Amino acid sequence: MGQEPRTLPPSPNWYCSRCSDAVPGGLFGFAARTSIFLVRVGPGAGASAGTPPFRVVGELVGHTERISGFTFSHHPGQYHLCASSSDDGTVKIWDVETKAVVTEHAFHQHTISALHWSPRVKDLIVSGDEKGVVYCYWLNRNDSQHLFIEPRTIFCLTCSPHHDDLVAIGYKDGIVVIMDISKKGEVIHRLRGHDDEIHSIAWCPVPGEDCLSLGQEESSEEPETLNGKVTARTPQSKGCYLATGSKDHTIRIWSCSRGRGVMILKLPFLKRRGGGIDPTVKERLWLTLHWPSNQPTQLVSSCFGGELLLWDLTQSWRRRYTLFSMSSEGQNHSRIVFNLCPLQTEDDRQLLLSTSMDRDVKCWDMATLECSWTLPSLGGFAYSLAFSPVDTGCLAIGVGDGMIRIWNTLSIKNNYDVKHFWQGVKSKVTSLCWHPNKEGCLAFGTDDGKVGLYDTYSNKPPQISSTYHKKTVYTLAWGPPVPPVSLGGEGDRPSLTLYSCGGEGIVLQHNPWKLTGEAFDINKLIRETNSIKYKLPAHTEISWKADGKILALGNEDGSIEIFQFPNLKLICTIQQHHKLVNTISWHHAHGSQPELSYLMASGSNNAVIYVHNLKTVIESNPESPVTITEPYRTLSGHTAKITRLAWSPHHDGRLVSASYDGTAQVWDVLREEPLCNFRGHRGRLLCVAWCPLDPDCIYSGADDFCVHKWLTSMQDHSRPPQGKKSIELEKKRLSQPKPKPKKKKKPNLRGPVKQELLDGTEEESLKENLEPVENGVSDQEGEEEAQEPDPPRNLVSREPAVCTSVSSGNEKSKGAIINKISFLKKEPPKEKPEALIKKKKARSMLPLSTSLDHRSKEELHHDCLVLATAKHSKEPNEDVSADLEERFHLGLFTDRPALYKMIETEGKGHLENGHPELFHQLMLWKGDLKGVLQTAAERGELTDNLVALAPVAGYHVWLWAVEAFAKQLCFQDQYVKAASHLLSIHKVYEAVELLKSNHFYREAIAIAKARLRPEDPVLKDLYLSWGTILERDGHYAVAAKCYLGAASAYDAAKVLAKKGDAASLRTAAELAAIAGEEELSASLALRCAQELLLAKNWVGAQEALQLHESLQAQRLVFCLLELLSKHLEEKQLSEGKSSSYHDWAEGTKGPFTERVTAVWKTIFSLDTPEQYRTAFEKLQTIKYPSATSNTPSKQVLLHICHDLTLAVLSQQVASWDEAVQALLQAVVRSYDSGNFTIMQEVHSAFLPDGCDYLRDKLGDHSPITPAFKSLEAFFIYGRLYEIWWALCSPCSDSSVSVRVCHRRTPVEQSQEAENASAEEADPEAASQPEPSKPPQLDLRLSKESERVLSSCQVLFSAQHATLQSSQRTVAQVQETLAEMIRQHQKSQLCKSTANGPDQDSPQQEGEQPRSSPQSPGKEEKHEPVSLPELTKRLTEANEKMAKFPENIKKWPFPDVLECCLVLLHIGSQCPGYVTQEIQQQAQELLKKYGNSKAYKRYCQTFCA
């Protein structure tokens, strides 16, 4: 597998005459959507040995709409220049070396349809548009020329390779024109012969007409005429052949000297070989040509089904051709080919590159006519990525163009070995999941709710589940069967079933053995097992733990529910996210730390990723569900919603995330640190997957139609962009085409203008999705899908009715032209005077009869004779009957049957002329009211007047007429009126259902409330349905009213809380309390208080906690936090000031603990031991995760105050064991978070006189004596640092260095502190064995400091030193293993890129800084260590750690060696204050345990 980045690009644009080009040397470019992708072909591509020699090397970004033309400059020295045209009205000139725009122009006022860079003139670019306007632009002199040859749509144009001024233009109606631009566009020849669009024009590469012995075409037309005159031959046009390809299935060769056709080649109908297309789709033909420069007697053309033909022009009488790729079956394109362009590589190979509707770019060897390689591409959003767990390296890609790609990433011969699967899909593929055990079994889900199974090793169509989701399939997962599927016998049920989660919020279980059977909704099992009566939240994500025993469901309200197999018992609910959950991922179980398999990462529409450790909950198996509100780790950095998460299978605790901010981020979860950030996409990321074989390789897909393979070691950024960077990235993403419907041309502009739809790529069917974002799939993204184009003759709108309105600012230039053309309309006739309007007669009811009575006198006399004969004839006469039938208007004067015939004839005339109301009146005259109603209903022409007359025909006819009229009104989108008519015939339920199904919920509820019984279930269903939609659209307050109307107060409170602000949470808590939902009310009140706490609104926080009695203990925590914050603010140690303190927080006299208890007694009436014990027990059940240096300071302070509250409560009831543990927990939490200030303030506030008081209370044989010793050690540790910092800066206050970052590696602290003191006190101190005092400083210590130094022996614990040494050994071994892996990856990368000159120099530059720090100093050099030796060290260290008592390992302890170093520094600066015994003990510990690289230099300094 190659160790270089790769890209699956978007598909080349369709239905463009020139959208790809290549230049000698091996550079090929093609237009895809709004960009141009560059591909290096040949030896210069730097491809791995044995793989096809090509590589995607860059992208030209700048156009804002579809690119319609692309061409290189084919002049030596200018191969780096190219030009492109776009539907945005601009022509841009690019430099491919800098990938920047050199210049551009926007002369065209209409859609540009053709573009070419002259092969004769170095700076001439010619372009034409759909209105027939041609612009010639000279780059060097910045000059242009406007030409208007024919008022027809230009389809293609090509500049002559033999004459500077000749340009051939092909039009939509089949005309080909050769013009001279030096004579203001004078037409040299107008070539007529084709009957349809001209798709391609190719000049013969050899001048003159001697290369081919062709006579005049047999079926040539008359001599060419221009404006009625025969044109003479001109000297400019002689001596060249021209080939044209047309939609009329013919290729014509023209003689420019004679101005007429000399050969016609008709395309053969070939039997399609191996074409993988949908047979029900009709394709149009696109005929493109290439005339090889070294073979003037041969011509290459495309054919009907994607085949390429090589025509032999010397044998015109036989029409002989050769088919490309005759020997290899299935190497041809499977769909029509749009562009052919030649390329000469650096090793002089002649290649031909083709782009096709099958979304492949193919390279052909012109020497053998065989396909050399294929570059696949994507025609839609890359929604899903999935690596096969069985066939390792097999990557499945779900794409929005209705196809699944299977990419064999391990292929040695082909870097882009991709297979396509399209049968049975027919929609966007939004989700994929491989079977964990069965080879080649791939499950897929689509945008239209379909779920199916593909066998990727066979050509069979997929199995489709008979149960469809109502909306998009978000997620698929294989898991163990649950009831009722699991209730069958051992051989009657599968070991794994397929679970699918859809956009309607339902999770279905599909039996893969019986997909034709009905799928099972697991909500039924969840309700039965857990006895749930309230409404279940809509599910948006499903994820099974690897062992199949735990199921996690993500919900639309942001909650995550954890269920236990097999009956889906709810054991835990995680209330962390407050928006829709998009992705859940469980950590793998095959790492070095099996306990990490309980880590679950989740992402939502918020930009924050939360990781939870569920080991305790899963192992404890609680009887009632547990609610978790605190994460194990929080990963912040993304600026938009999270769409996908994936754990690295190669590392412990490493995660990659995909986000709508356009980047993918790799995280070290355990340290909460970002590692690297990938910014290669130009759109919002939708999926990401970690390569199962390469730890450095990740694949990602986005809505930019690309899939990127990228390496973490090659990324320049470590975290997502913030501030200006993220704004620039957003601008980059927004430069993509925005979904907008095409404008309809007004039919009354200067006559009807026909226009062929040239845009056949995905930018066709664009919808504005007005539904909210769900699962990160689609929110107004307007994806341009690959619907099979069947371009009509006239411009047809492809949008639904809801999208027909277009804003006037869509196209700047086009809008201006439409305004200009509108002035050419005929002025409307002036209004007639009002008197004339009044005299206008009403329309006649019998216009045909009236007109027949105004014929000539002879005809009228003949009518009288016929009528008299008919009246007075006693026997029937055939001649008279024929005359009466011909003169139907005489029925007015004969019998009734004749009158009926006359009325029928008149009625047909009214219908043909568009006057159905007159026809209805005639039928009423006839007395056939029922027939009138039936005819009007069939034609959709019922009116209020007709329905009002219906009762005349009978009661049942009236009922039928009202129902028919209601259906007609529904087709006309008049649903409210239709419902009113249904009510008139007492069909209340039908009227309510009609309004509900069309989202008129307010009206439906009003009718149901007025006409139905209050207990009718329809009314409740209306409330719940409307509430669900309002909740999805963000109207939470109205949704809550709906839930209250449905008597579902629990859901009302939940939906109010979704807003997440303090006011909403408070209202939701009060509502829950009123409804008796005590647990929910307490949870919401606590959340409200925490939100107010972030804003330092102490008064509001206490008021929120007062809402529920069970939060009394939390009020004590918030009270202590307020007092501590006020205390820190007065000492100017806090980050900000607050003005909303309570009055009782203002007093500052007395010890801090006494102030706290006084406030508790006064404000909260907390006085008796029973009250203290009750509060202690409530708070003791709440557990917070340990802190890290990345934990927010406000969160750390809250957790510390929780521990301190427990300590104070324990002291009040004389429970000194719990007090010591709580105090130690607070100190350790501040130490782990790196907040030395808080740690020292805890010491000063709660241990003002040291730890002696606690020692006396505990006694000598207390079971928590180790905890007390740890607390005492941390106390002395903090005082020791204060003494040292005071010595380092004696002229300043000791608090200047209070804010220091203490991490979990105390050795690094010691290094930083020692270096700081060496720089400030004595630069030589670090290198000399006997440090001397700084000059001119008299350093003396106070008695308190001397007392602290004398008690430092507490810190020199040999047991803790041994334990910490073993821990360092384990860390060192793990670091060495990681470095060995990195070096191996680097060596592999160097090998794979050895042939790539573009990557050599950056690699060398990247390696240089890593090796430089190891060059000075012999002690840094290490002999290579073998893997068995490292394993032995790790085993020995783990065995040592296992022998330590649990009480030693349980309680944290300051770094012993760090304390030794600080104490020796103090002794070197203040001789005499540190006893020799203590110094000797510190030196012995350093000698014994200071063998690591971090301590060696300091051991030489102090232990020499």
Side-chain angles (χ1 to χ4, degrees), residues 998-1119:
N998 292 282
H999 302 290
F1000 288 90
Y1001 286 99
R1002 193 180 298 272
E1003 292 80 359
I1005 291 175
I1007 292 174
K1009 200 84 172 174
R1011 302 287 292 270
L1012 300 178
R1013 292 176 290 106
E1015 62 274 10
D1016 197 304
V1018 172
L1019 189 58
K1020 183 176 181 179
D1021 180 63
L1022 281 174
Y1023 280 126
L1024 293 177
S1025 301
W1026 192 24
T1028 302
I1029 291 178
L1030 290 169
E1031 180 180 352
R1032 185 186 64 196
D1033 294 341
H1035 304 299
Y1036 299 133
V1038 185
K1041 295 177 186 176
C1042 291
Y1043 290 138
L1044 288 173
S1048 181
Y1050 182 91
D1051 294 321
K1054 288 286 290 293
V1055 74
L1056 273 178
K1058 288 188 72 172
K1059 187 75 174 177
D1061 61 297
S1064 300
L1065 291 170
R1066 183 185 179 98
T1067 305
E1070 293 177 353
L1071 193 154
I1074 293 172
E1077 299 286 349
E1078 299 296 335
E1079 184 178 351
L1080 179 63
S1081 175
S1083 173
L1084 295 174
L1086 181 58
R1087 277 182 57 192
C1088 175
Q1090 290 172 345
E1091 288 291 329
L1092 293 168
L1093 183 63
L1094 294 177
K1096 292 195 173 183
N1097 186 350
W1098 306 101
V1099 176
Q1102 288 288 350
E1103 290 176 351
L1105 293 174
Q1106 281 181 327
L1107 294 174
H1108 207 275
E1109 295 180 358
S1110 64
L1111 300 178
Q1112 178 73 15
Q1114 289 289 347
R1115 294 188 66 193
L1116 304 180
V1117 178
F1118 278 56
C1119 172

Side-chain angles (χ1 to χ4, degrees), residues 324-328 331 363-372:
F324 275 51
S325 186
M326 284 290 292
S327 61
S328 301
Q331 288 297 315
C363 177
W364 306 87
D365 190 339
M366 291 300 294
T368 62
L369 302 186
E370 295 295 330
C371 180
S372 301

Side-chain angles (χ1 to χ4, degrees), residues 848-884:
L848 297 179
S849 302
T850 304
S851 62
L852 291 176
D853 283 337
H854 289 80
R855 293 175 297 166
S856 64
K857 185 185 294 184
E858 291 78 8
E859 290 289 339
L860 294 177
H861 290 170
H862 188 63
D863 286 345
C864 293
L865 293 176
V866 171
L867 180 59
T869 304
K871 280 281 192 181
H872 293 85
S873 60
K874 298 180 180 178
E875 296 180 0
N877 191 335
E878 293 183 0
D879 295 335
V880 174
S881 300
D883 287 339
L884 286 176

Side-chain angles (χ1 to χ4, degrees), residues 765-782:
S765 57
L766 307 177
K767 291 186 178 181
E768 286 292 329
N769 184 7
L770 302 179
E771 296 183 355
V773 183
E774 294 178 337
N775 214 29
V777 172
S778 177
D779 176 19
Q780 298 186 4
E781 60 195 11

Side-chain angles (χ1 to χ4, degrees), residues 1055-1322:
V1055 74
L1056 273 178
K1058 288 188 72 172
K1059 187 75 174 177
D1061 61 297
S1064 300
L1065 291 170
R1066 183 185 179 98
T1067 305
E1070 293 177 353
L1071 193 154
I1074 293 172
E1077 299 286 349
E1078 299 296 335
E1079 184 178 351
L1080 179 63
S1081 175
S1083 173
L1084 295 174
L1086 181 58
R1087 277 182 57 192
C1088 175
Q1090 290 172 345
E1091 288 291 329
L1092 293 168
L1093 183 63
L1094 294 177
K1096 292 195 173 183
N1097 186 350
W1098 306 101
V1099 176
Q1102 288 288 350
E1103 290 176 351
L1105 293 174
Q1106 281 181 327
L1107 294 174
H1108 207 275
E1109 295 180 358
S1110 64
L1111 300 178
Q1112 178 73 15
Q1114 289 289 347
R1115 294 188 66 193
L1116 304 180
V1117 178
F1118 278 56
C1119 172
L1120 192 146
L1121 176 58
E1122 182 176 354
L1123 291 170
L1124 184 59
S1125 299
K1126 181 65 175 177
H1127 178 69
L1128 294 175
E1129 184 179 307
E1130 290 172 351
K1131 301 182 85 173
Q1132 297 182 350
L1133 298 177
S1134 61
E1135 297 177 354
K1137 292 188 176 181
S1138 173
S1139 59
S1140 65
Y1141 287 110
H1142 287 88
D1143 295 337
W1144 41 262
E1146 301 297 330
T1148 58
K1149 296 180 180 179
F1152 186 81
T1153 307
E1154 294 181 4
R1155 288 168 50 199
V1156 170
T1157 54
V1159 172
W1160 286 356
K1161 181 177 180 180
T1162 306
I1163 305 301
F1164 304 109
S1165 302
L1166 201 66
D1167 194 12
T1168 64
E1170 290 78 10
Q1171 291 175 325
Y1172 285 119
R1173 174 57 64 182
T1174 302
F1176 177 84
E1177 291 174 352
K1178 284 187 178 180
L1179 291 178
Q1180 197 177 27
T1181 58
I1182 302 173
K1183 303 295 182 184
Y1184 292 116
S1186 58
T1188 67
S1189 58
N1190 292 316
T1191 307
S1193 58
K1194 292 182 179 179
Q1195 183 178 340
V1196 171
L1197 197 58
L1198 175 62
H1199 296 174
I1200 290 173
C1201 288
H1202 179 272
D1203 297 329
L1204 295 177
T1205 304
L1206 289 173
V1208 176
L1209 290 171
S1210 302
Q1211 291 180 7
Q1212 296 303 310
V1213 295
S1215 180
W1216 300 105
D1217 291 358
E1218 284 88 351
V1220 170
Q1221 294 181 53
L1223 271 177
L1224 178 60
Q1225 183 64 35
V1227 171
V1228 170
R1229 199 182 295 278
S1230 59
Y1231 175 78
D1232 289 343
S1233 66
N1235 202 324
F1236 192 83
T1237 304
I1238 299 299
M1239 186 175 77
Q1240 291 303 91
E1241 286 302 317
V1242 170
H1243 288 157
S1244 64
F1246 291 86
L1247 300 172
D1249 300 324
C1251 300
D1252 296 338
Y1253 175 74
L1254 287 176
R1255 183 186 292 108
D1256 296 339
K1257 292 292 184 181
L1258 287 175
D1260 297 333
H1261 303 288
S1262 174
I1264 62 157
T1265 300
F1268 172 77
K1269 290 183 178 180
S1270 294
L1271 178 62
E1272 185 180 20
F1274 275 109
F1275 177 81
I1276 299 175
Y1277 168 82
R1279 299 301 299 272
L1280 192 63
Y1281 260 104
E1282 286 186 345
I1283 295 171
W1284 182 26
W1285 287 335
L1287 293 174
C1288 293
S1289 54
C1291 297
S1292 62
D1293 186 61
S1294 61
S1295 63
V1296 294
S1297 301
V1298 168
R1299 188 73 172 174
V1300 178
C1301 182
H1302 286 262
R1303 288 178 171 78
R1304 293 191 176 186
T1305 55
V1307 175
E1308 296 177 6
Q1309 300 173 4
S1310 176
Q1311 288 177 342
E1312 295 172 4
E1314 192 270 339
N1315 289 336
S1317 85
E1319 292 175 3
E1320 296 176 6
D1322 187 0

Side-chain angles (χ1 to χ4, degrees), residues 677-817:
N677 183 254
F678 175 69
R679 304 181 183 182
H681 285 282
R682 289 185 55 241
R684 304 169 294 189
L685 268 72
L686 302 176
C687 52
V688 67
W690 213 299
C691 179
L693 294 179
D694 187 356
D696 195 30
C697 175
I698 295 175
Y699 291 78
S700 58
D703 65 2
D704 60 0
F705 288 40
C706 287
V707 169
H708 284 286
K709 171 195 172 185
W710 49 279
L711 307 179
T712 59
S713 58
M714 296 179 64
Q715 305 311 310
D716 299 327
H717 305 280
S718 62
R719 59 176 61 247
Q722 306 291 328
K724 293 183 179 179
K725 293 182 181 179
S726 62
I727 294 173
E728 291 170 1
L729 198 70
E730 183 69 10
K731 289 181 179 178
K732 180 180 176 183
R733 185 182 69 76
L734 292 177
S735 67
Q736 299 184 92
K738 293 183 178 179
K740 60 182 180 182
K742 295 181 184 254
K743 290 187 175 180
K744 289 186 178 180
K745 301 296 181 183
K746 296 182 180 179
N748 55 354
L749 301 179
R750 197 192 286 199
V753 180
K754 291 186 177 182
Q755 176 181 347
E756 189 69 35
L757 194 60
L758 297 177
D759 182 9
T761 53
E762 298 76 32
E763 296 88 15
E764 292 176 356
S765 57
L766 307 177
K767 291 186 178 181
E768 286 292 329
N769 184 7
L770 302 179
E771 296 183 355
V773 183
E774 294 178 337
N775 214 29
V777 172
S778 177
D779 176 19
Q780 298 186 4
E781 60 195 11
E783 174 174 1
E784 305 92 359
E785 289 310 327
Q787 301 298 329
E788 187 58 38
D790 188 10
R793 287 281 180 175
N794 297 326
L795 187 65
V796 177
S797 173
R798 290 175 173 238
E799 302 78 45
V802 71
C803 298
T804 53
S805 60
V806 182
S807 63
S808 61
N810 280 346
E811 297 176 358
K812 298 178 181 178
S813 58
K814 293 184 181 180
I817 289 305

